[in-house]
Amino acid sequence: MPEVIFNGPAGRLEGRYQPSKEKSAPIAIILHPHPQFGGTMNNQIVYQLFYMFQKRGFTTLRFNFRSIGRSQGEFDHGSGELSDAASALDWVQSLHPDSKSCWVAGYSFGSWIGMQLLMRRPEIEGFISVAPQPNTYDFSFLAPCPSSGLIIHGDNDKVAPEKDVQGLVDKLKTQKGILITHNTLPGANHFFTNQVDTLIDECGDYLDRRLDGELVPEPAAKRIR
């Protein structure tokens, strides 16, 4: 797995990158938790999501947001980190011009950045949002959410309470043309203590079903004249 350094908006960004053998393989970008609370690209959940996509033939990248590890720059409360993520996707796409589709996966703070990236980039056809925090971050930009995806969290999450995540899910589920899959892990906290393997299994099962053509949103009902 090559260690890579590429240019970001605030200086160099450090990443880990695994290209697929297939030129036209989809791309997956994995985004880590909050930089000021110990989040890095080597977080166990980020690391496992990276390999989950890689095992399924994706060209995969995880990277450190600005100010983390060898990535330059200062923490920028989300807006700069979103620019970092956009630059990371640009960098991978420049190496894989035949790749037509992309997925984004993020954990905690990374899920907030990932959902914002989703709004900016129409080529992103799927997302995995692990333990999002709608009680902390504003998700009102998802109007409408352009792609189907998975929101997964634990029912014992004290950082992002279940009722708040449920409110986000309920809002997104009212939209036509996309399918939001919602999965709650019993007993899991925000860090999925002793349940990381279960989390990754659930995410992998979701991804497999999407790749097999399942979980397709129902077409909008036609009006009867």
Side-chain angles (χ1 to χ4, degrees), residues 63-213:
F63 70 97
N64 279 328
F65 288 125
R66 58 184 63 195
S67 80
I68 297 300
R70 295 169 63 196
S71 292
Q72 297 177 322
E74 301 295 328
F75 176 67
D76 195 34
H77 305 281
S79 59
E81 288 72 22
L82 174 57
S83 296
D84 292 344
S87 291
L89 182 52
D90 287 342
W91 179 78
V92 182
Q93 288 177 327
S94 72
L95 297 177
H96 299 271
D98 294 326
S99 181
K100 298 296 185 272
S101 67
C102 177
W103 279 63
V104 62
Y107 168 35
S108 193
F109 173 86
S111 71
W112 180 53
I113 301 299
M115 297 296 272
Q116 292 178 76
L117 186 66
L118 179 75
M119 293 296 294
R120 290 186 170 198
R121 305 298 283 260
E123 69 270 29
I124 298 178
E125 64 180 22
F127 69 86
I128 294 176
S129 189
V130 178
Q133 296 171 254
N135 56 313
T136 303
Y137 305 116
D138 183 4
F139 281 82
S140 63
F141 57 82
L142 291 169
C145 179
S147 301
S148 299
L150 170 68
I151 294 176
I152 184 166
H153 62 114
D155 67 3
N156 197 32
D157 190 332
K158 302 294 194 290
V159 177
E162 186 177 12
K163 65 177 178 61
D164 295 292
V165 179
Q166 185 66 56
L168 173 63
V169 170
D170 290 345
K171 177 184 171 186
L172 296 180
K173 281 192 170 183
T174 63
Q175 293 181 196
K176 306 296 184 187
I178 64 163
L179 182 63
I180 301 299
T181 301
H182 179 210
N183 197 335
T184 306
L185 297 189
N189 61 20
H190 192 67
F191 308 100
F192 298 89
T193 305
N194 299 321
Q195 295 207 48
V196 172
D197 288 346
T198 303
L199 168 68
I200 299 302
D201 287 345
E202 293 291 334
C203 292
D205 178 66
Y206 173 80
L207 183 56
D208 287 339
R209 293 173 70 191
R210 281 288 301 272
L211 295 175
D212 286 343

